[in-house]
Each structure stands twice: as C-alpha cells, then as structure tokens.
Amino acid sequence: MLKEGTSRAEGRDAIHANITAALVVAESIRSSLGPKGMDKMLVDGFGDVTISNDGATILDEMEVQHPAAKMLVEVAKTQDDEVGDGTTTAVVLSGELLTKAQALIDKDVQSTVIVDGYQIASEKALEYIRKLAIKVNPNDKGMLKKVAKVALASKLLAEHKEFIAEMAVGAVMQVAEKSGTVFKADVDDIKVEKKPGGALTDTVLIQGVLLDKEVVHPGMPKRVEKAKIALINCPLEVEKPEFDAKLNIQSPDQMKGFLDEEEKIMRDMVNKIADSGANVAICEKGIDDVVQHFMAKKGILAVRRVKQSDMEKLVKATGGRILSQLEGLKPSDLGQAGLVEERKVSDDKMTFVEGCKNPKAVSILVRGGTERVVDEAERAIHDALCVVRDVVVEPFVVAGGGSTEAEVSRMVKAYSQKLSGKEQLAVQAYAEALEIIPMSLAENGGMDPIDSLMEVRARHQSKSKWVGIDPINGKVADLAKLDVYEPLAVKVQALKSAGEAACMILKIDDVIAASKSKEGGAPKGPKESGKEEGEGES
Ligand code: ADP
Ligand code: MG
C-alpha cells in the first residue's frame, strides 16, 4: 500500500522514537539555562562560528533534522516571536513533560490519557500563575530595569547588565505610547545596529535614527545642527531618455539647450528643497551627481538609498512626512532633529539623526571587541528590549530562579488530589515536570539538584512562594528579595507552548516517512532500508 522505501513506525514505537528525538534537543540546551548556564559554540557547514546562550539561536543553528525534534525548535521560535525571552525554559519544559510521559507510558498509561491530563494541568497552571503574578506600574523604571537585568543575567555581557538594562528601559519607554489605560510598544521601533570595534561600554542609545550610510557628496556639510529634514522617496534625478529614443539634435546649440534644460530641472529640485527651509535631505532613491552638486552649494546635507524601513523610522523620530514628489513641499512637512552628523564608526561612515524631540523611534548602536561579541550582545539586547516591552504592555511580573515553577507545581499537585486514577497520575506528572526548571538552575549553578529541590519544596509548603534557586551564590533563596523578576507574559507563553508541543508529539502514534529522494544529493541517506531504487519520477 505504501511506496517502496517508505518507513513506518506505529503505536508505542512511534511515540518512543519521537520522544527520544525531542529529548536530545531539550537535553542539549538544558545546560545553558540560567545565569550560570554555559554557552554553546556552533559551527555551520561553511565553518562560520556562532557562540550563544540563547535557546532560539542555538536550536536554529543546530539544523535539527528529526520531525519531532523540529517541533521543539518551533517552540523556541514561537517563544521568541511572542515574548522574546524564555526560549530555553520553554524547550526544557517540553522535554521534561515528554520524559514524564514516557515514564507513564512505560507503566501502561495510554498516551491519550496523558494528553488529557496535561491539558487539564496546563489550564490550571495558567490560572494559578496569573493569580500568583504581581501587578506593577508600567512606568516603574526601577522594576523594568530589574526585569531587563534578569534577562541579561545569563548572557555574555552580564557584567555590563546594569548599563545595558538602563538603555533598554530608556529605549522602550521612549517608543511606548499610551492608548487608553494600557501601553503599546513595539520593539521594531528600536533600531539595533551593530558595528564590531570599540568596547561593549561604547554601546549607545540614540534619540533618533542611525543610518548605515554616508553623506553623499564631499562638498556637503558633515554636521548640521537644528536640522530640518526633507524625507523624500522619489529619485532626485532627471529621467534619462530610453536607450533607443531618438534625440533630434542637429547643432551644438541644440545640445547645449538640451543639457541646460536638464540642469534647470535639477536646479529647480534643489531650490524647492532649499526654499522649504530644509538643510538636510534624506532620500530613499538615488540622487544625481548634478543635484548633489547644487545641494552642496546650498549647504544641504544629503543621504541617499536609505531603506524604506529606516524612512518609516525617520518619520516616527523626526515628525516629518515622506514626500513622493517635491511639488508643494511645505516647511511643515519637514522633520526635525537636534543634530544630523556623519561620523566614522570603525571603518564605516554612518549618519546619525539624533537629538530628536520625543522620538517614537530610537536606535541602539552596539559596539564590542569582535563580530561574535557584537552578535551575541545584539541578541542579549533584543531579549532585554523584549522583556521590558512585555512588562510595559502587560504589567505583571513573577519571581525567577524557578520559584514560580515550583509554586505552580505545588498548586497543581494539590489540585491533582481532587482527581483519581490515571488522570491524577498525568496531572501529577505535569506538576513534577515544572520542577525541572529549579533543578536545572541548581545543577547549572553547581548545586545538588535533588537536595536543592527538596529544600525548595519544603519552603513552598510553608508558604514561601518566591523561594527558588540563586545559582549565582549557589543557594536556595527568596528570589523576590533578590529582585529577580520576570515578565508574567514570558512564563505564560513558556507554559503554553511547552504543553502544546509535548501534547502534539504525544498524540502521534504513526510515523510514515517517505524514503529520502536521491536528488538533493546529501548523503544523509535513508537509514531504514537499503531500498532506494527508482522513485525519481512522480
Ligand atoms: P531562557 O532562554 O529561558 O530565558 P536563560 O538562560 O535566560 O533562559 O535563563 C532564564 C532562567 O534563569 C529563568 O528561570 C530565570 O529566572 C533564571 N535567572 C536569571 N537570573 C537569575 C538570578 N540572578 N537568580 C536566579 N535565577 C535567575
Ligand atoms: Mg532569558
């Protein structure tokens, strides 16, 4: 019935194979969890090296092949897209849910019963974690900074977390906007530009937009204060006649007339810009040499071929309007910035549009010793920006260090007492799986995971809900007292996506895989059988 070469695994075998594959992935990143987690060095097919502690990045670079394992990679991606942090947590958690499920399957509990139990438990866990969360003020800079510092704790630039956290809070608060009683904030309004060279401490927040472009003509000013900026998205060129268009020029006079006409059009363009009061022109398209020359004569600083996304940020930062034609350009269309300046950053010239008044788009220029350092710094800053955004948008936090997972675990366990039979076992298994977070944090911090977990459990029994692991000092501690807070949104998303992925894998009881086609040439080969002949067509 199936094509030759197709492999098939059914029932328990299928589930077992899938769980095993997923666990390899979860286990591979567990040692990177938390402030004492290790980094991974990944080398791709071209020999390019990435060093990272970021779950999503590691999994992305690992180029996982197995379909079930890929589902965990998806968990990390979703987590990253939705909330920007907690990727390792989500993957480790789904791995542990699968480990516990495997143990139940070995005891003859059906996987459908486990899936049902996990779904009940997951709903309860979400209900409990929301009850547990602490409401904060979205304007509370101190709290936002604490949250940013925790997101940065496990990163390469942890020693500079104070300074980076401050910057992340500044950036998000600057672009956040109140709508009704809630805030909206989009990290896309924060442009993170990286340039290797200098030190991490040279990383700066710019109240405006940083363009990876130079001033277009050497005769133009390189620095314009109190800038009035024309944002243009039409080419500042004269349309050249088509290649084969016939120009009927019979005398040198006519030729001169023709060129004069062109020059006049271009001079007009520059006059329109200058007459509006603009002293800076930023153009999405090209600028003709002659136009550049006239602009330089008028003392206008110009930049060309700016990305559309940057043009949109310039609108948000400077308050200007994008013009698709110069006709009717008014002073009120112009954007404003305290300073526009071309500066040399490492070997490149960049244009800074800064000192904007209340900009709704800002930039961060990331510096650091080597390319790898700036790459990882950029990822860390991304996490910090995301967690600050998470709290600004949904102002609730929980304590970290696995304390929240331990408390939710206790509550779900208590709830399971109301159930009976195999369903109870599954709900309990879910509760126990949550404890992988404090256990892994302890293990990575060089503590005894079992002893630490016992102590955490005991203290939760006596109502200390924020007790968890302090890997930095190698102690069981109250994380709220240590100011280790994380966004509720991160934890909620981790619970959701971990549970969903685990259940999805548990529901698969039949894996039918076509044999690898020979085209594509990768000799990774079908392990299942030697039959790989003649299926080239179709
Ligand atoms: P993820 O990709 O899941 O965010 P991280 O490597 O960033 O993984 O580790 C996050 C975990 O580390 C969270 O459980 C968080 O509470 C914990 N953590 C971070 N900083 C501290 C700290 N100073 N003390 C205790 N736990 C911390
Ligand atoms: Mg993190």
Side-chain angles (χ1 to χ4, degrees):
M1 200 180 87
L2 297 170
K3 223 188 220 171
E4 223 176 329
T6 305
S7 70
R8 181 165 188 179
E10 284 175 272
R12 277 198 194 188
D13 285 348
I15 297 179
H16 185 73
N18 282 339
I19 290 179
T20 310
L23 286 184
V24 171
V25 169
E27 198 53 34
S28 71
I29 63 165
R30 202 163 68 86
S31 65
S32 72
L33 183 74
K36 288 281 180 175
M38 301 295 278
D39 294 342
K40 305 279 172 191
M41 180 188 261
L42 301 136
V43 187
D44 70 10
F46 302 102
D48 286 341
V49 176
T50 304
I51 297 176
S52 184
N53 173 289
D54 184 68
T57 308
I58 297 169
L59 293 177
D60 194 36
E61 296 282 333
M62 265 170 42
E63 294 181 18
V64 172
Q65 297 281 344
H66 193 283
K70 273 190 185 156
M71 287 163 106
L72 289 208
V73 179
E74 285 300 313
V75 168
K77 282 218 181 85
T78 313
Q79 184 76 19
D80 203 31
D81 293 345
E82 294 288 324
V83 288
D85 191 27
T87 52
T88 316
T89 304
V91 174
V92 167
L93 199 53
S94 18
E96 189 62 13
L97 286 169
L98 291 170
T99 305
K100 297 282 183 213
Q102 180 66 60
L104 289 179
I105 292 170
D106 291 345
K107 284 191 210 147
D108 281 334
V109 180
Q110 273 186 332
S111 58
T112 48
V113 176
I114 303 173
V115 169
D116 291 346
Y118 276 9
Q119 272 159 359
I120 296 170
S122 173
E123 260 169 46
K124 282 287 157 194
L126 290 169
E127 178 191 324
Y128 296 146
I129 199 171
R130 292 207 163 96
K131 268 192 206 151
L132 208 55
I134 305 166
K135 186 161 175 47
V136 298
N137 176 353
N139 274 319
D140 179 353
K141 267 188 135 173
M143 175 52 85
L144 296 176
K145 203 170 147 189
K146 285 173 195 167
V147 172
K149 271 162 68 178
V150 172
L152 291 166
S154 55
K155 310 291 174 188
L156 189 85
L157 43 62
E159 55 178 316
H160 304 296
K161 63 184 178 192
E162 187 72 37
F163 151 75
I164 300 284
E166 177 90 39
M167 197 176 292
V169 172
V172 176
M173 288 190 93
Q174 184 57 51
V175 301
E177 273 175 293
K178 203 164 184 174
S179 73
T181 51
V182 293
F183 278 91
K184 276 201 222 149
D186 188 349
V187 288
D188 286 343
D189 291 334
I190 301 162
K191 184 177 181 192
V192 181
E193 187 81 46
K194 51 186 180 183
K195 277 274 176 256
L200 265 174
T201 44
D202 297 331
T203 300
V204 282
L205 173 62
I206 293 147
Q207 299 292 337
V209 183
L210 180 55
L211 302 170
D212 198 359
K213 299 276 173 201
E214 55 187 309
V215 170
V216 81
H217 190 280
M220 288 177 177
K222 298 277 188 275
R223 177 186 166 91
V224 173
E225 281 178 34
K226 297 207 180 93
K228 292 199 174 9
I229 309 164
L231 302 170
I232 303 159
N233 77 353
C234 57
L236 298 179
E237 291 161 349
V238 176
E239 258 182 71
K240 297 276 181 283
E242 288 286 317
F243 225 98
D244 51 359
K246 219 173 180 177
L247 280 174
N248 248 328
I249 294 174
Q250 276 144 2
S251 68
D253 270 1
Q254 262 181 337
M255 184 66 194
K256 186 167 181 300
F258 177 74
L259 291 177
D260 283 352
E261 182 59 25
E262 256 197 12
E263 196 184 295
K264 188 179 164 292
I265 295 174
M266 293 197 270
R267 197 189 282 277
D268 267 1
M269 285 180 178
V270 177
N271 284 342
K272 278 189 192 119
I273 295 172
D275 290 348
S276 72
N279 48 18
V280 173
I282 297 178
C283 185
E284 198 182 319
K285 307 278 165 54
I287 305 178
D288 191 279
D289 291 351
V290 179
V291 176
Q292 291 175 24
H293 169 79
F294 288 137
M295 282 177 153
K297 275 182 135 178
K298 295 257 184 199
I300 294 173
L301 181 162
V303 182
R304 67 173 164 182
R305 300 200 199 292
V306 171
K307 278 190 291 190
Q308 197 193 349
S309 59
D310 284 346
M311 294 299 286
E312 281 157 14
K313 289 194 180 80
L314 282 163
V315 168
K316 290 185 176 172
T318 67
R321 218 163 62 84
I322 295 183
L323 304 150
S324 49
Q325 55 172 25
L326 295 177
E327 214 56 57
L329 170 55
K330 306 182 294 295
S332 61
D333 294 330
L334 303 176
Q336 315 237 0
L339 177 67
V340 175
E341 186 175 33
E342 178 193 276
R343 282 178 215 147
K344 213 166 164 204
V345 180
S346 286
D347 286 337
D348 296 313
K349 287 175 184 159
M350 301 181 98
T351 303
F352 291 66
V353 179
E354 62 184 21
C356 298
K357 256 196 215 122
N358 197 19
K360 288 296 156 202
V362 296
S363 308
I364 293 176
L365 173 59
V366 185
R367 306 302 313 279
T370 69
E371 206 167 319
R372 256 152 240 142
V373 172
V374 282
D375 283 352
E376 181 69 350
E378 184 199 21
R379 289 190 283 270
I381 289 172
H382 164 80
D383 284 13
L385 293 173
C386 286
V387 292
V388 174
R389 184 261 336 253
D390 292 341
V391 178
V392 167
V393 173
E394 190 187 346
F396 288 91
V397 298
V398 292
S403 63
T404 300
E405 288 86 352
E407 181 64 7
V408 174
S409 169
R410 187 190 66 75
M411 294 164 96
V412 174
K413 251 182 248 168
Y415 167 79
S416 77
Q417 299 306 320
K418 293 185 195 150
L419 307 170
S420 62
K422 289 181 174 169
E423 192 176 48
Q424 183 183 40
L425 288 181
V427 174
Q428 271 170 1
Y430 181 100
E432 282 166 19
L434 294 175
E435 293 176 328
I436 190 67
I437 302 302
M439 267 170 89
S440 305
L441 286 171
E443 200 174 334
N444 295 346
M447 301 159 67
D448 184 298
I450 305 287
D451 288 354
S452 312
L453 179 63
M454 290 307 150
E455 191 180 339
V456 170
R457 270 190 194 167
R459 288 177 62 180
H460 277 260
Q461 288 303 339
S462 52
K463 307 232 157 18
S464 307
K465 59 182 176 184
W466 300 131
V467 167
I469 306 295
D470 167 13
I472 294 169
N473 299 303
K475 281 192 190 123
V476 169
D478 185 317
L479 278 301
K481 287 193 184 132
L482 292 174
D483 280 343
V484 176
Y485 291 108
E486 293 182 276
L488 172 66
V490 169
K491 295 291 179 197
V492 163
Q493 184 61 41
L495 287 177
K496 274 190 194 162
S497 44
E500 276 167 16
C503 287
M504 206 184 274
I505 290 173
L506 288 171
K507 275 192 202 158
I508 301 167
D509 78 335
D510 200 350
V511 178
I512 305 166
S515 69
K516 292 244 168 71
S517 78
K518 280 179 286 182
E519 297 149 295
K524 278 172 189 130
K527 274 194 198 134
E528 299 298 327
S529 66
K531 298 171 252 167
E532 45 178 344
E533 76 285 339
E535 33 116 33
E537 52 274 74
S538 85

